[in-house]
Each structure stands twice: as C-alpha cells, then as structure tokens.
Amino acid sequence: MVKEELYITVPSVFRCPISLDVMKSPVSLCTGVTYDRSSIQQWLESGHNTCPATMQLLPSKDFIPNLTLHRLINLWIQSSTLLPGANSPRLLPATFPEITQVRAKLLMEKIESQCCAESLSKLSEFVSYCEENRRFVVRFHGFVEVIAGVLIRKCVEIEALEMTVGILDLILSENGIKERLNKLILKSNQESNFLSTIVFILQNGSPDSKVRSVRVLDSLALDSESKRRISDSQDLLSVLLQLLQTNNDQSLNDAVTSILTTVSVTRSIKSRLIENGVVEILSNTMTEKSLKLLATLSSSSEGRSAISSNPKCTAAIVEKLLKVSKTATEDAVVVLWRGCCLQKEEKVKEAVVKGNGVTKILVIMQREGEGRVKMMCSDLVKAVRAACKDWSLGSYETKTTHIRPC
C-alpha cells in the first residue's frame, strides 16, 4: 500500500520575508518586521541600509531575537510532526506578493554580482510559478538587463546559462520584452558573445535548454539587421544544421527549422543552407516547419534546383499534402508549383504523379475558395498532365468544383 504524503500549510508569519523558509532564529528590526537571522544578516552585510519588506531607512541596524515567535514556531513544528502519517511532512509553497518581491530583488542583486546558479534556480522557480510573478519581474527595474547580461558574460557555467534561457523563454510573451532584449543584445556590440553562448548551449546543454535557447534566438530576429547578425554566425548555422541532421527530438527540430526559416531572407544565406545540404536533411524529417523552410528556399532558382534534383524531397512533400494544416498545405503547393511551373522540372512532375499527387491537388482545389492556392493547383494539374502516362485526365476542366472520375 502506497503511503500518502502529508502537505502542511505554513502560517505566513512563520516564514522569513527574504528566504520564504520557516524561520529558525527569528529576529526583529527596529521597523517591527521579523526575519530569519541568517537572511537579514546577509542583507545588511551586503551594504543595504533599509528594511527589505518596507524599504524604510534604518536608523539602526541592530536587531533583537523574537523569542515569542520562536517559541510559537517550535510548538507548531512539534504539533505537525505528531500528526498521523507526518513522519516527513512537506510544506506547501508560499505565494505572498509582498514577500516574493523582496526575494526577487535579492536574487537579482546576487545574479548581477556573482551570476550565482543557485540564485538563478530560485528566480527560475519564482518566474515559473505563475503569470503574476512573470508580470512582476518584467516590471521590476533592471530585471531584463540583469538576465540578458548573463548571456553575454564569458566563462559562465552551463547550468547558469540553461536557467537563464529558461527564464527568458518564460517571459518572451510579456509586452515589449522581445524588443528590449533585441536592443540589449543584437543591437549592441555584445551580439558575438551572445551568439557564442547560444552555440555553447546547443553543444553542451540539455534537450530542453537547447529548445529554449533557439526559441529565444528566434524571438530576437525582429528585423533585417537582427536576422543578418544571426545568419552571419557561421558557427551557429553549422551547429543548427548538425542538430537538425542528428537529433531525434521533434520539438528541437521544429525550433531549429523555424529559426532557419526566419533568417533565410537573403540569397546568400539561402545559398549557404543549400550548400550545407539542408534540402537533403529536410527530406528525411518532413514536417510542417520543413515545408515552410522549403517554401522559403524555393523562392530562389538555386533553391528550386536543389529541391527538384532531390526526388525524395518532392515525394515527401506530396506525401504530406493532405496530412498537414492549411498553412502547411499552401507551403507544399508553393514548392510544387515552383518546381513544376517555374522550374519546369520533369523529375518533379514525375514524382507528383508517382505519389498520387494529382488526386491530392484536385482535392485541395475542391476545398479551396478562389485565390492564389487554387490558381497554383490549376497550373499544377495542367503542368503535370503531360507527364501522366498511366492516368488520363480526359476532358477534366480545372475550373469545375468537383473531381470527375476517370
């Protein structure tokens, strides 16, 4: 029989406003606020002359033991351990805004001065707890700057870097954060350090931290200059492509494919990706994100040639036509249309026919309203008709709204 754990709610007055833990040696300042001795000593010894909870200036830094509270805490602990099944009771976490703000300020100061992994871990826990906490830290003066600063420092341990990208990933959706981070990192002279840090995480971090670091990177690519700065990092592109080729984590593959699509805005970057075999890699891991990147690459003649010369790629695209979202279907149609109608590659037409692509294209035509996708589908059917040896379309008219049986 599995023994149930006992959770105990701690009275708020028993928790230290700084550490949030049950106080072992409660002491009171002249402001009347009580703290655990070790926590308030650390606060005062670090140069502060205010009461953390009230931010009042302290005329005196002396404190006196709160014996009454100490006795009440001891009685509460003893009574808790006497409860049935309470051999090792677990304490429920505290959620008091006025306390967590004090704690967050202290943690930020430690991170800024020492880049302490322990402080980052606690701050990560605080940010992960709820949306209210995330909104608070975003509004907290200097928070974004302190966290972003960790990623542009040198010789930071991998654990600290992983927690930092985790924190940033959690707050990216908050208003204005992407723009602030973009300005702090990619619009400064520190982007090389930041990109080197991302490469380091991608090479040495956990799968989750790799996904988060790529998502953070993708969110900062807000304009052409930022995208150029990212794509100019040859080391970064090489690591991203290597991950895409060797990694089996779909979340990471999607994140990598997304950032490659985001930065593929110039002919030169598209050429570099193609030269490094991205089309072959995508052919082996065809997803909705892959279709988006292929649609982007196919906008150049070099991209169309690379896709057309890879029959496996076209076959994989045709196979996905009716199995993906509407947006991804449009991306697939765009790639096929460019190969068949712009590039006029017979290999692409043959691959479409072999994969029963004509029928699938007709189905897409049938469900699409008037628009670009339907027009491309119509062009595709006409272009593929000549390559179709075994199935005659007869007098099928591409403007009809139904599929005519053979």
Side-chain angles (χ1 to χ4, degrees):
M1 183 175 178
V2 179
K3 188 176 182 178
E4 295 184 358
E5 288 186 298
L6 179 65
Y7 290 83
I8 299 175
T9 302
V10 181
S12 60
V13 293
F14 291 176
R15 289 187 184 271
C16 172
I18 296 176
S19 69
L20 302 183
D21 296 326
V22 176
M23 290 182 279
K24 297 178 181 178
S25 180
V27 295
S28 299
L29 292 178
C30 59
T31 57
V33 182
T34 300
Y35 303 90
D36 192 55
R37 182 186 295 271
S38 61
S39 296
I40 193 60
Q41 279 183 331
Q42 185 179 9
W43 169 267
L44 296 174
E45 289 171 0
S46 63
H48 296 95
N49 62 348
T50 57
C51 172
T54 65
M55 298 311 295
Q56 291 177 263
L57 286 174
L58 295 172
S60 170
K61 293 185 178 182
D62 295 334
F63 47 75
I64 58 173
N66 191 327
L67 299 178
T68 301
L69 185 56
H70 194 185
R71 186 160 48 250
L72 290 173
I73 291 173
N74 285 335
L75 288 172
W76 174 80
I77 292 174
Q78 291 172 16
S79 64
S80 297
T81 56
L82 291 174
L83 291 173
N87 294 328
S88 55
R90 297 185 62 181
L91 307 182
L92 290 176
T95 55
F96 307 105
E98 69 275 14
I99 294 178
T100 51
Q101 292 182 19
V102 174
R103 184 62 177 161
K105 179 176 176 61
L106 288 169
L107 293 174
M108 282 176 53
E109 291 179 353
K110 269 193 174 183
I111 293 166
E112 188 172 21
S113 61
Q114 304 172 16
C115 191
C116 177
E118 181 183 359
S119 298
L120 279 165
S121 177
K122 291 178 179 178
L123 187 56
S124 176
E125 183 179 355
F126 174 79
V127 173
S128 303
Y129 190 82
C130 64
E131 187 176 352
E132 182 183 355
N133 287 0
R134 290 190 282 277
R135 286 198 297 265
F136 162 72
V137 295
V138 167
R139 295 192 302 267
F140 201 97
H141 178 69
F143 173 81
V144 176
E145 288 74 12
V146 169
I147 300 303
V150 176
L151 295 180
I152 58 179
R153 294 186 193 179
K154 294 182 179 180
C155 302
V156 178
E157 295 181 355
I158 185 65
E159 292 82 4
L161 295 174
E162 288 179 311
M163 284 181 281
T164 301
V165 295
I167 293 169
L168 291 179
D169 186 44
L170 284 169
I171 65 172
L172 283 174
S173 60
E174 298 298 325
N175 188 37
I177 290 301
K178 294 177 182 179
E179 291 76 12
R180 289 170 65 183
L181 286 173
N182 177 279
K183 185 176 180 180
L184 286 168
I185 297 175
L186 291 182
K187 294 294 178 63
S188 69
N189 58 358
Q190 300 287 349
E191 91 277 356
S192 60
N193 291 344
F194 168 71
L195 295 175
S196 297
T197 296
I198 297 297
V199 169
F200 181 67
I201 297 173
L202 293 177
Q203 291 175 327
N204 302 282
S206 67
D208 283 345
S209 65
K210 291 177 182 179
V211 173
R212 293 183 182 117
S213 63
V214 175
R215 283 204 299 249
V216 169
L217 183 64
D218 200 357
S219 71
L220 302 188
L222 298 175
D223 51 38
S224 56
E225 180 186 355
S226 303
K227 295 173 183 177
R228 179 188 60 77
R229 287 175 180 249
I230 293 172
S231 63
D232 281 349
S233 174
Q234 185 63 50
D235 289 342
L236 176 61
L237 287 182
S238 297
V239 170
L240 289 172
L241 287 170
Q242 184 179 15
L243 283 173
L244 197 59
Q245 187 171 21
T246 61
N247 170 68
N248 294 322
D249 186 326
Q250 192 58 56
S251 296
L252 180 55
N253 284 340
D254 283 346
V256 170
T257 308
S258 180
I259 182 63
L260 292 178
T261 303
T262 299
V263 301
S264 295
V265 292
T266 63
R267 182 178 295 274
S268 61
I269 181 60
K270 293 174 186 176
S271 297
R272 284 165 60 190
L273 291 177
I274 292 166
E275 289 170 3
N276 283 278
V278 71
V279 172
E280 177 67 26
I281 295 171
L282 295 175
S283 300
N284 297 323
T285 57
M286 191 63 66
T287 64
E288 294 197 4
K289 298 289 186 181
S290 302
L291 292 170
K292 174 62 71 177
L293 179 53
L294 287 171
T296 301
L297 295 175
S298 69
S299 63
S300 69
S301 58
E302 187 176 359
R304 292 193 292 274
S305 296
I307 295 170
S308 301
S309 62
N310 190 321
K312 184 169 63 174
C313 182
T314 303
I317 294 171
V318 174
E319 199 274 332
K320 288 286 185 180
L321 268 176
L322 298 178
K323 299 180 180 180
V324 291
S325 66
K326 183 176 180 180
T327 300
T329 297
E330 181 175 344
D331 291 329
V333 170
V334 166
V335 177
L336 295 177
W337 182 83
R338 286 170 174 168
C340 292
C341 302
L342 286 186
Q343 201 75 5
K344 298 182 179 179
E345 282 285 347
E346 294 302 318
K347 291 181 180 179
V348 178
K349 297 176 185 178
E350 291 173 7
V352 171
V353 173
K354 287 180 181 178
N356 197 27
V358 177
T359 301
K360 296 176 181 179
I361 292 168
L362 292 173
V363 171
I364 295 170
M365 279 184 64
Q366 201 174 29
R367 70 188 188 191
E368 286 289 334
E370 295 298 325
R372 186 173 73 119
V373 176
K374 188 166 186 175
M375 291 177 61
M376 286 189 291
C377 286
S378 175
D379 291 344
L380 274 169
V381 171
K382 293 175 183 177
V384 171
R385 179 179 293 179
C388 188
K389 305 297 183 182
D390 302 321
W391 179 41
S392 173
L393 294 176
S395 60
Y396 175 79
E397 173 57 53
T398 57
K399 291 183 180 180
T400 58
T401 60
H402 66 282
I403 300 174
R404 185 173 181 177
C406 298

